[in-house]
Amino acid sequence: MNDSVVARLVQELGKDAVLTDPDVTAAYSRDMMPLAPYGSPVAVVLPTDVAGVQATVRACADAGVPIVPRGAGSGLSGAANAVDGCVVLVLTKLDRIVEIDAGNRIAVVQPGVVNLDFRNAVEKDGLFYPPDPSSYDWCTIGGNLSTNAGGLCCVKYGVTTDSVLGLEVVLADGSVLRTGRRTVKGVAGYDLAKLFVGSEGTLGVITEATVALKPLPQAPATLVAGFPATAAAGDAVARVVREGLVPSLLEIMDSTSIKAAENHLKTDLGTGSNCQALLLAQSDTGGEAARRELAVLEQICTDSGADMVYATDDLAEGRMLLQARRVVLTALEHYGVWLTDDVCVPRTRIAELISGCQQIGEDVGLRIAVVGHAGDGNMHPTIVYSPDSEDEFARARVAFDRILEVGLSLGGTVTGEHGVGKIKREWLEREIGPVGMRVHREIKRALDPGNLFNPGSMFSL
Amino acid sequence: MNDSVVARLVQELGKDAVLTDPDVTAAYSRDMMPLAPYGSPVAVVLPTDVAGVQATVRACADAGVPIVPRGAGSGLSGAANAVDGCVVLVLTKLDRIVEIDAGNRIAVVQPGVVNLDFRNAVEKDGLFYPPDPSSYDWCTIGGNLSTNAGGLCCVKYGVTTDSVLGLEVVLADGSVLRTGRRTVKGVAGYDLAKLFVGSEGTLGVITEATVALKPLPQAPATLVAGFPATAAAGDAVARVVREGLVPSLLEIMDSTSIKAAENHLKTDLGTGSNCQALLLAQSDTGGEAARRELAVLEQICTDSGADMVYATDDLAEGRMLLQARRVVLTALEHYGVWLTDDVCVPRTRIAELISGCQQIGEDVGLRIAVVGHAGDGNMHPTIVYSPDSEDEFARARVAFDRILEVGLSLGGTVTGEHGVGKIKREWLEREIGPVGMRVHREIKRALDPGNLFNPGSMFSL
């Protein structure tokens, strides 16, 4: 059966679009999440247009061969990981920016376009595509859509779904659904576009998106504040929310992250040796308004007990300050390999989550660094373990689950932006319960009755 | 069968919650759209809690009696209109604001709460619930959710779905689905909440919503500009979009609307006799920023050919200026009864839509006034006809459809915010095509296999 599906794919898509050498296909068999299981694909297919995607879907549907769609593979949930005997459908060659309509502030883009390339392209027209996951210099729009990716700017500009107006999707029978619209409003029928966004490739293959763009913000002014206690930083975040501020970035780093970044950058962040948490904030409202916004932020930090606050509207200096946040994961590699978790809690509960993670780190005897998007409560506790120790890996896995437990107990969700994939299936069930699971299965069966797309990812039928 | 379902409803919900007197139930049998068909319900049920909703759903499911859910009945698509032999499920007695969590800028609200009451309640905490349909002083949150309602503030703050974090929904088997979350981000599973929002009561009964709130904006500054040609006003709107302005309100009135408002208010709007279009804009960024934003808007209007521009940061004066926009529908009643349409076009095509409507008005020999949310391209051409003339009503119906035709031809959608309901079913099919319709039916069958909820609204199975 597998030989015949490969032969058909080669016939329909051409030899160059179908990879079967196991050494080559292995490179497409998993994403960046070390915990997730992965299998061996029978082939990796790289179509260059929607017809090629349709041909792949039809060939696999006829042969009963599952399809795992993927983009660049920057995911952190194993959602793009191959299952044994599947066809991995790589969308990176559907890589055209079809249209930028500056007059209506919208664009039409294919899934294989790299996030940063798309951002740069629309910026030339004075426009802004907000979603900016940390991997924005290599992840693709298709992966962003499938995971409903977030990033640092979400606190002000929302996540991927908030930018999506319409989609083109290849369905399980190979037909093409065009859903949504090119207008900024519209209620003609169910909001199918937002159903496919974040469905992790389980309902169809997204082959094009129409997205709303925002005006390009002003160059950001930046503030950094050091706190002698995590709770004080948490208070500051809560007050930022409470007092109605909407900074364009509001990040938090715990003491472990700060030390790792300082060590890596071989610099002192100026926080003093007793610093337990760092807040980084930006305002992109420009000029006087940004200065006013940062002044209020500064006052809130000071009132909450910060013993160091520094603000600048120098762009290069701001970028340098932000660098401390951006290097944390790389910096942690000094101590071992890392496993990053993803929980989102109400913004008033951030300090509790961080201290919970510290406790878990002590309990399991591993270093856990917490960085996160404080402005929306989306935290990434990151567990460091030795790549050579099975025991440490097992303890890392325990810590990973205990962090989710704490996140749920604080009224949060088990994934803020990375997704469920192949690592949080049991946690999805725990979070949404049996009725929620039943509705998920009903929708999956309705749209993909043969369980063709990404079977076993997010949940099992 | 109908007698037995009524008996069961009375038994489970109490006599006072079940209305069967035809003179009384008639008042619950239709919304505000004169074109839409409506039938006679066998009963009208007014539960006061989710258990009452569940009991109603189970009783009707067992008896095979369709359910038409409704709120205040302010809808403009007939989505809440009864079908013969149905039970109308009125949600207005689930009217509690369950929680306002100012620290996390979220609230939990039941569907029967009136939009304005909710706005006022959160405002006391310095918070803002953006969706503001014109009927905001009597429409309910449940209806807003079911239609994904918009309003005047959408241009800056989005539509209802953009505020929804989570929902409680009674499904077709009477079970309760709690979906979504209390955090501002989250990707645990499909975005079911945004699937139910805008589904017009065809998939389940929303019994509670968790919504994100925004900081209360500053008091708005207001600008009004008169143009000697519709195209010039359209150019101004396109330039506002193109130059990256995001006013908190940007409305347009055509000459027919202006004259009706002037006649009704017995005042001269100061536009001169040759005024063909009026733009009304507001900025709620406050102080110097608002003045700067209005100055840019003023320049754009002048450059586009406005022969009258007036700006004020006086709140009372701004409200008075806006009054001209708000009274248009009432003002049109001077000439007859009206039928308001709802199309959304790309923002660069607004002037073409307005001139298209003027042509249609001439062709059918009826007055058509166009008002709309220019900032997002959502136009409400409103056809005036005599209530006593069947012929005029027939011509109004022709005009209604021809307006949709023009909207589609300009790359727009047949409904920007009112919904499909029972008047635009064939237009939904025309806009989204056979594959889109198939997916709609697959989802409907998956979640409501007995076609219990609002059958025949939006589309037929």
Side-chain angles (χ1 to χ4, degrees):
Chain A
M1 182 178 77
N2 290 349
D3 284 352
S4 78
V5 78
V6 170
R8 179 165 164 192
L9 289 168
V10 168
Q11 190 189 351
E12 299 210 19
L13 292 146
K15 201 163 58 75
D16 294 347
V18 184
L19 313 177
T20 52
D21 177 345
D23 290 343
V24 177
T25 60
Y28 293 95
S29 65
R30 61 185 305 188
D31 68 11
M32 298 295 287
M33 166 46 71
L35 286 189
Y38 60 100
S40 294
V42 64
V44 171
V45 177
L46 294 107
T48 55
D49 57 18
V50 65
V53 175
Q54 291 179 275
T56 305
V57 169
R58 287 187 177 126
C60 291
D62 288 349
V65 170
I67 292 174
V68 177
R70 69 173 264 152
S74 62
L76 289 163
S77 73
N81 284 14
V83 293
D84 282 332
C86 79
V87 162
V88 172
L89 174 52
V90 186
L91 278 306
T92 51
K93 293 199 171 176
L94 277 80
D95 60 354
R96 281 191 311 122
I97 297 172
V98 179
E99 180 189 355
I100 298 172
D101 177 352
N104 287 298
R105 288 207 295 252
I106 63 171
V108 180
V109 59
Q110 290 188 330
V113 175
V114 169
N115 180 295
L116 182 60
D117 293 341
F118 184 52
R119 302 168 74 79
N120 287 339
V122 303
E123 192 172 323
K124 285 183 196 137
D125 281 307
L127 294 167
F128 176 52
Y129 177 67
D132 62 343
S134 297
S135 56
Y136 71 119
D137 54 351
W138 69 289
C139 66
T140 56
I141 296 293
N144 297 171
L145 291 162
S146 296
T147 56
N148 191 13
L152 274 60
C153 74
C154 303
V155 56
K156 183 164 183 176
Y157 296 106
V159 294
T160 299
T161 197
D162 299 309
S163 294
V164 175
L165 297 175
L167 291 180
E168 180 186 84
V169 182
V170 175
L171 301 173
D173 67 347
S175 60
V176 174
L177 170 70
R178 294 195 67 93
T179 187
R181 52 189 200 279
R182 291 174 62 93
T183 55
V184 288
K185 285 169 73 178
V187 292
Y190 300 154
D191 197 340
L192 300 179
K194 289 191 198 300
L195 177 64
F196 284 101
V197 172
S199 64
E200 302 185 2
T202 62
L203 297 177
V205 182
I206 297 170
T207 49
E208 191 181 279
T210 302
V211 298
L213 303 169
K214 298 213 180 277
L216 197 61
Q218 301 295 307
T222 306
L223 173 143
V224 56
F227 295 82
T230 309
D235 284 350
V237 172
R239 284 196 51 194
V240 167
V241 177
R242 184 66 197 82
E243 298 199 7
L245 294 177
V246 185
S248 58
L249 176 148
L250 184 58
E251 296 286 311
I252 194 167
M253 294 168 64
D254 74 345
S255 58
T256 307
S257 308
I258 297 166
K259 285 189 196 102
E262 287 185 330
N263 180 49
H264 180 78
L265 295 170
K266 307 204 186 313
T267 184
D268 175 358
L269 294 175
T271 58
S273 60
N274 194 33
C275 182
Q276 292 301 304
L278 200 70
L279 282 184
L280 285 150
Q282 288 192 324
S283 168
D284 63 2
T285 50
E288 191 47 46
R291 274 189 289 277
R292 263 205 317 278
E293 194 164 29
L294 284 202
V296 179
L297 272 165
E298 183 165 348
Q299 190 62 53
I300 288 174
C301 289
T302 305
D303 290 351
S304 303
D307 45 19
M308 184 280 281
V309 188
Y310 178 73
T312 178
D313 55 10
D314 182 272
L315 197 57
E317 197 181 15
R319 210 174 274 139
M320 213 182 65
L321 291 170
L322 213 60
Q323 188 65 1
R325 163 69 181 90
R326 292 206 184 268
V327 299
V328 170
L329 290 186
T330 308
L332 289 171
E333 288 171 6
H334 179 74
Y335 309 109
V337 295
W338 50 256
L339 174 62
T340 197
D341 213 334
D342 169 47
V343 288
C344 191
V345 295
R347 289 168 286 190
T348 49
R349 315 298 294 271
I350 289 171
E352 288 166 87
L353 181 82
I354 292 176
S355 51
C357 291
Q358 286 167 341
Q359 185 60 53
I360 293 166
E362 283 173 32
D363 291 350
V364 302
L366 291 175
R367 190 187 303 260
I368 299 180
V370 185
V371 290
H373 315 305
D376 40 42
N378 189 188
M379 297 290 113
H380 297 306
T382 303
I383 310 150
V384 183
Y385 62 97
S386 161
D388 307 318
S389 164
E390 274 184 38
D391 175 59
E392 285 203 10
F393 182 72
R395 282 184 276 145
R397 172 82 227 198
V398 169
F400 188 86
D401 282 343
R402 282 193 53 196
I403 290 165
L404 300 178
E405 182 101 48
V406 173
L408 277 186
S409 76
L410 294 172
T413 172
V414 297
T415 173
E417 58 184 7
H418 292 172
V420 174
K422 296 183 175 76
I423 52 160
K424 291 184 178 172
R425 288 177 294 201
E426 68 274 31
W427 286 98
L428 175 69
E429 189 144 5
R430 186 150 158 198
E431 179 171 330
I432 73 175
V435 178
M437 288 309 302
R438 199 188 76 208
V439 174
H440 273 72
R441 293 191 172 104
E442 286 165 351
I443 287 174
K444 168 76 172 171
R445 276 194 209 101
L447 297 189
D448 180 18
N451 203 15
L452 180 70
F453 294 126
N454 218 357
S457 210
M458 194 185 278
F459 58 91
S460 295
L461 270 187
Chain B
M1 181 179 76
N2 290 349
D3 284 351
S4 78
V5 78
V6 170
R8 180 166 163 191
L9 289 168
V10 169
Q11 189 188 351
E12 300 210 20
L13 291 147
K15 202 163 55 77
D16 294 347
V18 184
L19 314 176
T20 51
D21 178 345
D23 289 342
V24 177
T25 60
Y28 293 93
S29 66
R30 60 184 306 190
D31 67 12
M32 298 295 285
M33 167 46 70
L35 287 188
Y38 61 99
S40 295
V42 63
V44 171
V45 177
L46 295 107
T48 55
D49 57 17
V50 65
V53 175
Q54 290 179 276
T56 305
V57 169
R58 287 190 178 124
C60 291
D62 289 349
V65 170
I67 293 175
V68 176
R70 70 174 263 153
S74 61
L76 289 163
S77 72
N81 284 14
V83 293
D84 281 333
C86 77
V87 163
V88 172
L89 174 52
V90 185
L91 279 305
T92 51
K93 293 199 171 176
L94 276 79
D95 60 355
R96 280 190 312 123
I97 297 172
V98 179
E99 181 190 354
I100 298 172
D101 177 352
N104 288 298
R105 287 208 295 252
I106 63 172
V108 180
V109 58
Q110 291 188 329
V113 175
V114 169
N115 180 295
L116 182 60
D117 293 341
F118 185 52
R119 302 168 75 78
N120 287 340
V122 303
E123 191 171 324
K124 284 182 196 140
D125 281 307
L127 294 168
F128 175 53
Y129 178 67
D132 62 341
S134 297
S135 54
Y136 72 118
D137 54 350
W138 69 288
C139 66
T140 57
I141 297 292
N144 297 171
L145 291 163
S146 296
T147 56
N148 191 15
L152 274 59
C153 74
C154 302
V155 56
K156 183 165 182 176
Y157 296 105
V159 293
T160 299
T161 196
D162 299 309
S163 293
V164 175
L165 297 175
L167 292 179
E168 180 186 83
V169 182
V170 175
L171 300 173
D173 67 347
S175 60
V176 174
L177 170 70
R178 294 195 66 93
T179 187
R181 53 190 197 277
R182 290 174 62 93
T183 54
V184 287
K185 284 168 73 178
V187 291
Y190 302 153
D191 197 341
L192 300 179
K194 290 192 197 297
L195 177 64
F196 284 101
V197 172
S199 64
E200 301 184 2
T202 62
L203 298 177
V205 182
I206 297 169
T207 49
E208 191 181 279
T210 302
V211 298
L213 304 169
K214 297 208 181 280
L216 198 61
Q218 302 294 307
T222 306
L223 173 143
V224 56
F227 294 83
T230 309
D235 284 349
V237 172
R239 284 196 52 194
V240 167
V241 177
R242 184 65 198 85
E243 299 199 7
L245 295 177
V246 185
S248 58
L249 176 149
L250 183 59
E251 296 285 312
I252 195 167
M253 296 168 63
D254 74 345
S255 58
T256 308
S257 307
I258 297 166
K259 282 186 198 106
E262 287 185 330
N263 180 48
H264 180 78
L265 296 171
K266 306 203 188 312
T267 182
D268 175 357
L269 294 175
T271 57
S273 59
N274 193 32
C275 182
Q276 292 302 305
L278 200 70
L279 282 185
L280 285 150
Q282 287 191 325
S283 168
D284 63 3
T285 51
E288 191 47 47
R291 273 189 289 275
R292 262 206 317 278
E293 194 165 31
L294 284 201
V296 179
L297 273 165
E298 183 165 348
Q299 190 61 52
I300 288 175
C301 289
T302 306
D303 291 351
S304 303
D307 45 19
M308 184 280 281
V309 187
Y310 178 74
T312 176
D313 56 9
D314 183 273
L315 198 58
E317 197 180 16
R319 211 174 275 139
M320 212 182 66
L321 291 170
L322 212 60
Q323 187 64 1
R325 162 69 180 88
R326 293 206 182 269
V327 298
V328 170
L329 290 186
T330 309
L332 289 172
E333 287 170 6
H334 179 76
Y335 310 109
V337 294
W338 50 256
L339 173 63
T340 195
D341 213 334
D342 169 45
V343 286
C344 191
V345 295
R347 291 168 286 189
T348 48
R349 315 299 293 271
I350 290 170
E352 288 166 87
L353 182 82
I354 293 176
S355 51
C357 290
Q358 286 167 341
Q359 184 60 52
I360 294 167
E362 283 174 31
D363 290 351
V364 302
L366 291 176
R367 190 186 305 259
I368 299 180
V370 184
V371 290
H373 315 307
D376 40 41
N378 190 188
M379 298 289 112
H380 296 306
T382 303
I383 309 150
V384 184
Y385 61 97
S386 161
D388 308 318
S389 164
E390 273 184 41
D391 174 59
E392 286 203 7
F393 182 72
R395 282 185 276 144
R397 172 82 225 198
V398 168
F400 188 86
D401 282 342
R402 279 193 55 195
I403 289 164
L404 300 179
E405 181 102 46
V406 172
L408 277 186
S409 76
L410 295 171
T413 171
V414 297
T415 172
E417 59 184 5
H418 293 172
V420 174
K422 297 184 175 77
I423 51 160
K424 291 184 179 173
R425 288 179 292 202
E426 68 274 31
W427 286 98
L428 175 69
E429 189 145 3
R430 186 149 158 198
E431 178 171 331
I432 73 174
V435 178
M437 288 309 302
R438 199 189 77 208
V439 174
H440 273 73
R441 292 190 172 105
E442 285 165 351
I443 289 175
K444 168 76 171 171
R445 277 193 208 102
L447 296 189
D448 181 17
N451 203 15
L452 181 70
F453 294 127
N454 217 357
S457 209
M458 194 184 278
F459 57 91
S460 295
L461 269 186

